[in-house]
Amino acid sequence: MLIPSIGFQGNCDEAINYYKEVLGAEVKAINYFKDAPEDHGMEETLPSNFVMYAEVVLFGATMVMADGMKRPMKGEEENFWLTLSFDCPKEATSIFNKLADGGRVIEALAPQFWVSLSGDVVDRFGICWNVSAI
């Protein structure tokens, strides 16, 4: 099983709540650094309110999210993005607009020859999304 992991820099909780509201994400598990035993053996101690590990289900796919992860990839500049594909153009447009709020549109949602709509947006957490409608 392949599970994408997304690193945040102190705002993982905020991102999870945002994805719950905007995308209907479901949190399966969440642990904070404050929950770790004192002898956890980690070299670097992060603030206690940082998310150590969260398992989130988004449109049937499991993703891991955490604070303090070193991210070699960041947005579209590093060839990494998540794709959301919808059957309904109206739903795709709604999700695209919500992700763009506080973020940055890379490619406006528009008709393409391979799908009825496609567009790219970087959300306010720096995650690049391709949103499309079949």
Side-chain angles (χ1 to χ4, degrees), residues 4 11 21 23 34 40 43 62 72 75 77 86 97 109 116 124 132:
N11 57 356
E21 177 185 329
L23 303 173
K34 66 183 174 192
H40 55 69
E43 292 178 27
T62 299
E77 295 84 8
F86 298 94
N97 290 338
L109 197 61
S116 64
R124 62 178 145 181
S132 65

Side-chain angles (χ1 to χ4, degrees), residues 96 107-119 131:
F96 184 89
E107 175 112 11
L109 197 61
Q112 303 296 334
F113 71 89
W114 64 92
V115 290
S116 64
L117 289 175
S118 181
V131 179

Side-chain angles (χ1 to χ4, degrees), residues 39-100:
D39 62 346
H40 55 69
M42 294 181 179
E43 292 178 27
E44 182 180 344
T45 302
L46 294 170
S48 65
N49 65 329
F50 273 29
V51 174
M52 180 186 304
Y53 174 90
E55 190 172 306
V56 178
V57 177
L58 190 60
F59 297 100
T62 299
M63 296 191 314
V64 169
M65 298 179 182
D67 281 314
M69 292 171 55
K70 303 290 186 228
R71 296 190 292 177
M73 297 180 279
K74 184 177 172 185
E76 78 286 2
E77 295 84 8
E78 297 298 332
N79 203 23
F80 171 81
W81 65 92
L82 299 171
T83 298
L84 297 173
S85 180
F86 298 94
D87 293 328
C88 173
K90 185 176 180 178
E91 187 177 11
T93 301
S94 174
I95 294 296
F96 184 89
N97 290 338
K98 288 176 183 177
L99 290 170

